[in-house]
Amino acid sequence: MSSQSKYRLATTLASTLTLLAPDAIASGFQINEHSAAGLGRAFAGEGAIADSAAVLGRNPAAMMMFDKTAVSVAATMVDPDYSVEGEFVRPFGASEASHDNAGPNAVIPAAYLIQPINDQWALGFAMMTNYGLGTRFDDGFGADGSRMSGMAGLVGGETSLMSVNLNPSVAYRINERWSVGAGIDYTLATGYVDRVNGNGEDNGAHQTLANFDGAGNGWGWNVGTLFEINDSNRLALTYRSQIDVTLEGDYHGAIGTVPGTSAEAEVEIPMPTIAELSGYHRLSPALALHYSIMWTDWSAFEQLEATSGQCTLPGGVCLSKDEQLQDAMRYAVGATWYVSPEWEARAGIAYDESAVQSEHATISLPDSDKWWYSLGATYHLDETKSIDLGMAYIDGEVSEVREGIAHNSPDNRYYFEGSCEGNAFLASVQFNMLF
């Protein structure tokens, strides 16, 4: 397949299946929104509950909980409220650099299929996303018309990462207590970075400082195990490997290339390892408690850098920004009430640690410690069909940022200084069916 064909395939899939995941949502640029039922319990116990085919988003071993073909399709609407307040500082002055609604709305779809083969084997397929990001600032962000104030566009502009993960998997029941599962992850992604001079050209036209538009793919794997203590209690442990995606595309701009030319550039994006422990305990016919502890290896993501033999900066660098993310934990607890044969209600709360170190914070990769507050319900249409609804409010803490325009160095003479805050409302619907 030609590089142009790969670009078209990645762009089509990523744009269709991950409609711009905004403002990080979870730590770093991680996306947890795999199901409506999961959203309604803050994704507590996801690897162990197995109440729909969407469990494939977490644990392939849990396929052994199904004795019929299961299908789930879900869509999650994300309405972020990401705001930045501060100023762009330079040696001879400063200009206001504030922006509301810098995180665009999004819809995040997902689909899952589980096919039992016999009492010991099952196959599955998941189509979802684990990573994505979108921020968008006005061209005039931080600029006041004075000389050099337009350089504020180097910390603003537009940034997006869209991805889709195709995940076939297999599960095997070892005995009545233990099941194991494994899968292959194939991720297609597109990335776009646009940085502009906030003052524009002398005639007011748009002036690009740095622009990269590319697509790529990568391979990984995931494994999981499920331990059924008894019919009412089970534990799960899952692991998803790092996926290294190389985005290939065109770079152009006033920085890093000869004006009026473009370069064939690459950007390396590590999509980090994830490990999670989940538990589910049905305390009575009417009540169950569940929980999860998740670790993400964000320290694998050190910088955002476009490189090309055609770029003019030392080492063939077109554009570089230090990120230096740190590993992050997520803790979630939830409860499910089995109200009647037709209705289930659920709630959950989660604490999501930030992957951003304060000294390397940027406004284009917004992140902070977050609390999740979730509610949801399931209505069983009959014995084979059900509808899940979920909603959550994510309350992000205010974070302080000092971001230099060169490599994100806080010691740079030109820098943004201020604060950013990201909250979000999420709502999700899901249809499940057994055959």
Side-chain angles (χ1 to χ4, degrees):
M1 183 182 291
S2 69
S3 60
Q4 199 167 30
S5 298
K6 289 180 180 178
Y7 180 88
R8 285 197 296 267
L9 175 61
T11 300
T12 300
L13 279 171
S15 300
T16 302
L17 297 169
T18 308
L19 308 182
L20 192 58
D23 185 22
I25 304 303
S27 65
F29 48 92
Q30 189 174 19
I31 295 174
N32 277 315
E33 290 67 36
H34 296 152
S35 74
L39 181 65
R41 53 182 171 248
F43 299 100
E46 281 302 277
I49 295 180
D51 51 0
S52 74
V55 71
L56 272 179
R58 288 296 210 275
N59 188 6
M63 288 192 289
M64 298 315 303
M65 296 292 295
F66 294 82
D67 58 8
K68 295 180 180 179
T69 302
V71 173
S72 294
V73 291
T76 302
M77 181 278 295
V78 184
D79 181 13
D81 180 14
Y82 174 51
S83 59
V84 171
E85 184 175 347
E87 58 183 7
F88 180 63
V89 182
R90 48 200 186 278
F92 304 105
S95 54
E96 182 183 358
S98 299
H99 200 295
D100 293 326
N101 300 318
N105 291 351
V107 176
I108 303 173
Y112 309 91
L113 168 67
I114 293 175
Q115 178 60 64
I117 304 302
N118 52 40
D119 290 343
Q120 282 192 293
W121 292 95
L123 299 175
F125 184 79
M127 188 161 51
M128 59 186 185
T129 183
N130 290 312
Y131 298 102
L133 172 71
T135 54
R136 186 181 299 129
F137 293 83
D138 295 338
D139 284 0
F141 173 75
D144 61 5
S146 61
R147 190 172 182 270
M148 298 305 293
S149 69
M151 293 299 99
L154 284 172
V155 299
E158 182 176 353
T159 306
S160 74
L161 173 68
M162 297 186 287
S163 70
V164 58
N165 187 46
L166 308 178
N167 183 201
S169 55
V170 60
Y172 174 71
R173 179 175 288 280
I174 298 173
N175 54 43
E176 64 179 8
R177 295 284 182 260
W178 285 100
S179 298
V180 294
I184 297 172
D185 291 305
Y186 178 59
T187 294
L188 298 107
T190 65
Y192 181 76
V193 176
D194 188 42
R195 300 292 184 263
V196 302
N197 183 335
N199 289 325
E201 301 279 9
D202 292 339
N203 62 4
H206 178 103
Q207 183 190 28
T208 299
L209 298 176
N211 179 283
F212 174 79
D213 188 5
N217 58 77
W219 293 88
W221 50 273
N222 67 301
V223 294
T225 185
L226 183 69
F227 178 57
E228 299 172 60
I229 302 169
N230 53 42
D231 291 342
S232 300
N233 299 274
R234 45 190 177 268
L235 300 172
L237 182 63
T238 60
Y239 181 94
R240 191 175 296 273
S241 76
Q242 178 172 312
I243 300 174
D244 293 316
V245 175
T246 300
L247 303 179
E248 300 177 349
D250 294 326
Y251 175 88
H252 67 275
I255 297 174
T257 55
V258 176
T261 67
S262 63
E264 296 179 359
E266 294 184 351
V267 176
E268 302 287 341
I269 304 289
M271 298 186 174
T273 298
I274 302 171
E276 184 175 28
L277 173 67
S278 304
Y280 171 85
H281 306 281
R282 191 155 182 172
L283 305 182
S284 72
L287 178 65
L289 298 180
H290 26 86
Y291 49 87
S292 291
I293 301 173
M294 176 188 288
W295 166 80
T296 305
D297 183 24
W298 280 114
S299 58
F301 191 84
E302 297 180 351
Q303 62 184 359
L304 178 65
E305 186 172 83
T307 59
S308 171
Q310 301 166 284
C311 283
T312 58
L313 296 178
V317 173
C318 311
L319 176 70
S320 181
K321 177 179 285 191
D322 288 337
E323 300 291 354
Q324 300 297 330
L325 299 186
Q326 61 186 351
D327 294 353
M329 301 294 294
R330 185 179 192 274
Y331 309 92
V333 293
T336 298
W337 292 269
Y338 299 93
V339 180
S340 69
E342 292 81 24
W343 284 98
E344 298 169 16
R346 56 185 61 90
I349 186 171
Y351 180 70
D352 218 337
E353 291 182 348
S354 172
V356 171
Q357 301 185 65
S358 58
E359 63 269 28
H360 296 285
T362 71
I363 63 173
S364 58
L365 180 55
D367 194 17
S368 64
D369 295 340
K370 303 175 182 71
W371 283 97
W372 293 57
Y373 306 97
S374 299
L375 294 172
T378 295
Y379 178 66
H380 295 271
L381 301 169
D382 56 35
E383 292 183 354
T384 61
K385 295 183 287 294
S386 63
I387 296 175
D388 298 326
L389 301 172
M391 65 179 66
Y393 178 73
I394 301 176
D395 183 15
E397 297 179 2
V398 176
S399 57
E400 301 299 319
V401 178
R402 178 171 170 143
E403 177 182 357
I405 65 172
H407 302 288
N408 186 25
S409 171
D411 298 325
N412 198 266
R413 297 172 66 203
Y414 298 85
Y415 58 89
F416 167 86
E417 186 168 39
S419 62
C420 60
E421 182 178 9
N423 307 312
F425 174 76
L426 293 76
S428 185
V429 62
Q430 178 176 319
F431 176 73
N432 311 298
M433 189 168 183
L434 299 173
F435 297 91

